[in-house]
Amino acid sequence: MDLATVNALSYEDFVDAFGNVVEKCPLVAAAVWSKRPFATLTALEAALGEFIDALPPSGILRCHPDLAGRDLRDGTLTRESSEEQAAAGMDALGSEEASRMSRLNEEYKARFGFPFVICARMNDKAAVLRQLSERRGNVREVEVTRGIEEVKKICRLRLHTLVLTDAPKL
Ligand code: GUN
């Protein structure tokens, strides 16, 4: 849809359309609806970012499923997460990769109290495993900041699949 259509959406339709731009946090879309009209897609993105920053970061991070975790195995991921995890090859790990992923995910959660979040669309499985292994050594404050940066990247890519960009067509 284009931006004019976005700006004309009712509250319910807006939350239906954008409710999962932040994984399982429809509150973000709900809060941002009242800020319309958005002059540009960048303005919508900025409004979402501002509200993300106003929420408790560990709460947002905890709304994310593990990469290659139980929800993937059970088929209970959101459509967006399922597509992203597949794009990073999380649905096609070898058995050794899968057990390494699972062990590192558990270690990460035990250390920080929230799951490892990374923009899966921007990484392949080797990069995901490398980042997970590296980032689990960070201090909590750094990881909270990193995780939220990744949430914003995920949000941006999800938004761009839903809204046509403002760039003029050449
Ligand atoms: N990166 C993209 N989507 C997801 C997700 O659903 N969970 C986690 N942990 N990282 C992601």
Side-chain angles (χ1 to χ4, degrees):
M1 73 183 103
D2 60 18
L3 204 60
T5 308
V6 172
N7 284 328
L9 290 176
S10 68
Y11 171 78
E12 286 77 12
D13 289 345
F14 187 90
V15 176
D16 263 0
F18 298 107
N20 209 45
V21 291
V22 177
E23 183 74 14
K24 294 189 184 148
C25 293
L27 177 66
V28 177
V32 154
W33 177 79
S34 59
K35 306 262 186 201
R36 103 223 103 82
F38 302 100
T40 59
L41 183 53
T42 310
L44 170 54
E45 225 177 278
L48 291 163
E50 222 171 277
F51 193 70
I52 289 170
D53 287 335
L55 290 172
S58 53
I60 296 186
L61 296 170
R62 276 188 207 109
C63 288
H64 289 71
D66 285 345
L67 289 170
R70 174 180 294 172
D71 284 323
L72 189 150
R73 286 192 296 281
D74 291 352
T76 50
L77 288 170
T78 61
R79 183 175 44 80
E80 293 86 349
S81 181
S82 170
E83 288 171 7
E84 290 157 4
Q85 296 210 31
M90 295 292 107
D91 60 345
L93 296 179
S95 66
E96 272 183 31
E97 289 166 335
S99 48
R100 177 146 189 264
M101 188 77 199
S102 165
R103 182 177 56 78
L104 292 175
N105 267 335
E106 291 311 315
E107 265 181 49
Y108 185 98
K109 282 188 291 186
R111 178 168 167 97
F112 299 116
F114 50 78
F116 172 70
V117 177
I118 187 167
C119 182
R121 271 195 200 286
M122 293 180 169
N123 292 278
D124 59 17
K125 64 182 175 184
V128 169
L129 276 162
R130 191 175 59 244
Q131 291 271 331
L132 174 50
S133 176
E134 282 173 20
R135 281 175 48 188
R136 92 201 133 123
N138 283 337
V139 295
R140 193 171 190 280
E141 199 189 343
V142 168
E143 254 330 277
V144 167
T145 305
R146 278 293 273 120
I148 294 297
E149 280 170 13
E150 297 297 315
V151 167
K152 288 180 182 171
K153 289 183 201 168
I154 296 166
C155 175
R156 180 156 197 268
L157 295 187
R158 289 184 181 183
L159 199 59
H160 280 250
T161 66
L162 295 169
V163 185
L164 300 168
T165 49
D166 332 307
K169 288 199 183 72
L170 297 173

